[in-house]
Each structure stands twice: as structure tokens, then as C-alpha cells.
Amino acid sequence: MSNEPIKLTSFSHGGGCGCKIAPGVLSEILKNSSGFPVPKELLVGIETADDAAVYQLNDEQALIATTDFFMPIVDDPYDFGRIAATNAISDVYAMGGTPIMALALVGMPINKLPVETIGQIIKGGESICAEAGIPIAGGHTIDSVEPIYGLVVLGLVHPSKVKRNADAKAGDVLVLGKPLGVGVLSAALKKDALDDTGYAAMIANTTKLNKPGKTLSELPGVHALTDVTGFGLLGHLLELARGARLTAKLTMSQIPLLPGVEQLATDGFFTGASGRNWDAYGKDVTLSPSITPAQHALLTDPQTSGGLLVSCDPSAVDEVLALFRREGFEAAAVIGEMAAGDSRVQVAA
């Protein structure tokens, strides 16, 4: 092998949650899936495109099961492993649960990547699992054309504390835990246009575990919870709106953004997934005429390991924001509200 530095992103046709199959294509694939008997113990399945499945074990415990994996979004193998693990574990937090165990999913081009590089990817994932307090108890490996890494994650939650993405109520306030712009930064990185400060911000955002999810599940004023990933803020908010049969109203000026991403988007740095997302669900979104093309791209920007999106009673907003602040999520902010109306999203400037 060459001694030249290995660019992991050169092996992948898409990176991070930008690898997701576009929502419109996914709907087409799944529309003819046959029905099957659903046991009463299955508290959350595929019906509202929620973050994880939840199966009740007994009166005190329900099992959360999820999996997530993707191709490299960065070139550093250790960082890639950390990002992928953080992203996978997030779905347990987004259901209000506590992760208990993970299994590794590893697909690597063995004839193209040094064993040391693959080892660093796995070590990165292990470091995040250690931070979450869970073991990687096994997994599965294959020889693949593109590097793929992720986790199966299991968690526990009290059956009465499960936070679905479909239980928002009219009058609820929307809070977002992390700033947007990861897809834009990844596009700039792939074109060698991201400086060290931007890279540091990207890594800090994508490797921050969404631990507030567990405590949020214990707040009676929190009605619905999800995390923002590959379908962008608009896509995941639409899932909330459709599940609750309500209209979500956003205010663009209130949405937290990573430093510099609006200018990068203005300069043309955004992913192909952003456009595919809009093509899939744009018909259900009303944008203010003053929303700029860059802001439009950020609203559909695929977020790898993005923030928690909370729908809560107005009386709980201060407590929700205080919880985020205590956990180090300084950018957490109120971004809109849920209102009676059709299942769609309206975005004001």
C-alpha cells in the first residue's frame, strides 16, 4: 500500500446520514410491504417512522432496539468511529431510554485499508460506548467495497416513560438541542474548503451524546421526542406533525446554526441529500418568501448525529432548556410551536 495519507471519504459515494435512502424512494420501497401480526407488547414499531422499536418486557421495563451505520463522513478513522457510534446510540436517548449494550457492524475493503486504520475506527466507536457506559458485546464483520461502521444498540425504558415522535400536542413549544449544519460542513470538508475551526465544530457536534433524552422522558410536560438526522430538520419535524396530525411552525431566525455554515451554504457547499430531501417532502412545507436559498438548504441539510427535537408544554420550556444547559448543550433553543391544522410545516423568517 502507498504511504500517502488515506482519505476515508474517497472510498464512499456519500457520508454519514447523508447516505440514507431519500425519503421519497424509501416510501416507494416500503409501500407494498406485507402486514404482519403486531403483538401488544410492541409499544413502538414502524407505524410513525420513530427512532427505535420498543418492546415491553414487564410492568417496569421495555426494551429499546435500534441500529445505524454509514460510510465515512470524515477522513480521520478514529473520528469516524466516534461519530458513527454517537449517532447510533442517539436513537435510544431519543426514545427516552438508557443504553445498555451495543453490537458492532463493520464492513471494510480489506484489500484497500490497512488493518491499523480499521482498528482506529473500531477504537473510536469503543471510546463513545465507554462514555455512554455500555459495552460492545459482539457484532458482525464483512469485506465490503466501501467502509461501513455502526452499531446495534439496546436500551431500557419504563413503559410509561417512552417518548414517541407522534405524541405532540397543539400549543406545544419546539426545542432543538444541537445547531444545524453538519451536512454543509461535510460537503466543505470533502472539497478541502473546511478550516480547522470548522472541523473542530463539526466533530464536537457529532460526537456529543444526546444524554438529556433519558431525563427528558421523566418530565410530564415533554410530549414528543425525536432526533434530527438524515432527513434534515424539516423531514423529522414533518414526522412529528404527521404523527400528531398537527401543523409545525418554525421561525428561521431562532434556529441555532453551527458557526459559518450559512456562508458556506451561500457559497454552494451542501450535499446532494439536501435536494433529495426537499424533493421528497417539499410539497408539505410552506416557506416564507424571505427564506434564502442557503437557509432553505440548511433546513433540509442531513444531520449526522444531530440534536434532540422536543415538543413540550409551554410550562416545561424553562426546565427543558435548563436540562440541556446542565448537560453542556449551550446552543439549545426554542425554534417554533405545534398548532392545530394540516400535517405540514410552515417556516417564517
Side-chain angles (χ1 to χ4, degrees):
M1 293 185 182
S2 168
N3 289 325
E4 290 293 317
I6 293 174
K7 289 179 68 71
L8 281 180
T9 53
S10 69
F11 289 91
S12 58
H13 72 278
C17 285
C19 297
K20 277 190 174 182
I21 294 175
V25 178
L26 184 59
S27 296
E28 187 68 20
I29 292 170
L30 297 177
K31 72 176 184 180
N32 293 321
S33 295
S34 58
F36 55 89
V38 177
K40 61 181 177 59
E41 293 86 358
L42 186 63
L43 304 182
V44 182
I46 64 173
E47 57 280 350
T48 62
D50 218 323
D51 300 291
V54 183
Y55 189 93
Q56 185 166 347
L57 300 174
N58 51 54
D59 290 344
E60 300 295 323
Q61 294 176 311
L63 180 70
I64 302 171
T66 185
T67 185
D68 218 315
F69 52 89
F70 45 62
M71 283 87 80
I73 188 175
V74 295
D75 292 316
D76 183 278
Y78 188 76
D79 284 344
F80 170 42
R82 293 169 67 212
I83 293 167
T86 307
N87 181 71
I89 296 170
S90 179
D91 285 340
V92 170
Y93 292 129
M95 300 306 300
T98 301
I100 58 171
M101 182 177 72
L103 305 173
L105 301 173
V106 183
M108 295 290 156
I110 299 299
N111 62 335
K112 295 180 180 179
L113 285 182
V115 171
E116 293 78 12
T117 297
I118 299 171
Q120 283 297 305
I121 294 170
I122 293 171
K123 283 184 178 179
E126 289 173 343
S127 74
I128 291 297
C129 286
E131 186 179 337
I134 62 173
I136 296 181
H140 185 63
T141 60
I142 62 168
D143 186 356
S144 65
V145 176
E146 295 179 280
I148 298 169
Y149 179 72
L151 301 174
V152 172
V153 188
L154 301 179
L156 291 174
V157 65
H158 192 284
S160 68
K161 302 287 179 64
V162 175
K163 295 300 179 183
R164 305 195 312 152
N165 68 350
D167 294 333
K169 300 181 185 301
D172 274 2
V173 174
L174 294 167
V175 177
L176 180 62
K178 289 184 183 181
L180 300 181
V182 171
V184 167
L185 294 180
S186 70
L189 175 68
K190 206 158 188 178
K191 295 180 181 179
D192 296 320
L194 187 65
D195 60 21
D196 290 345
T197 301
Y199 184 79
M202 178 181 173
I203 297 303
N205 205 63
T206 54
T207 60
K208 192 169 188 60
L209 288 163
N210 280 321
K211 290 182 177 182
K214 179 183 181 298
T215 308
L216 287 168
S217 75
E218 298 169 359
L219 302 181
V222 171
H223 299 142
L225 189 61
T226 190
D227 59 354
V228 180
T229 54
F231 299 153
L233 175 60
L234 291 182
H236 293 284
L237 185 52
L238 263 172
E239 291 174 347
L240 260 72
R242 289 167 178 163
R245 299 181 181 179
L246 297 171
T247 295
K249 297 184 177 183
L250 292 179
T251 301
M252 186 69 214
S253 61
Q254 295 178 354
I255 297 172
L257 303 175
L258 285 163
V261 294
E262 192 162 2
Q263 184 59 53
L264 285 169
T266 301
D267 294 340
F269 294 103
F270 46 83
T271 69
S274 180
R276 293 192 295 272
N277 282 342
W278 179 254
D279 290 342
Y281 54 64
K283 66 184 185 303
D284 292 326
V285 179
T286 303
L287 296 177
S288 164
S290 57
I291 296 296
T292 67
Q295 291 171 333
H296 186 175
L298 286 163
L299 288 167
T300 58
D301 189 50
Q303 301 306 290
T304 300
S305 191
L308 293 174
L309 179 60
V310 186
S311 182
C312 65
D313 188 272
S315 64
V317 171
D318 289 346
E319 193 172 8
V320 168
L321 288 174
L323 170 59
F324 274 119
R325 300 284 187 267
R326 287 198 303 272
E327 294 284 350
F329 291 78
E330 298 300 329
V334 171
I335 62 169
E337 62 182 359
M338 302 297 290
D342 295 336
S343 300
R344 57 186 302 104
V345 177
Q346 298 175 357
V347 186

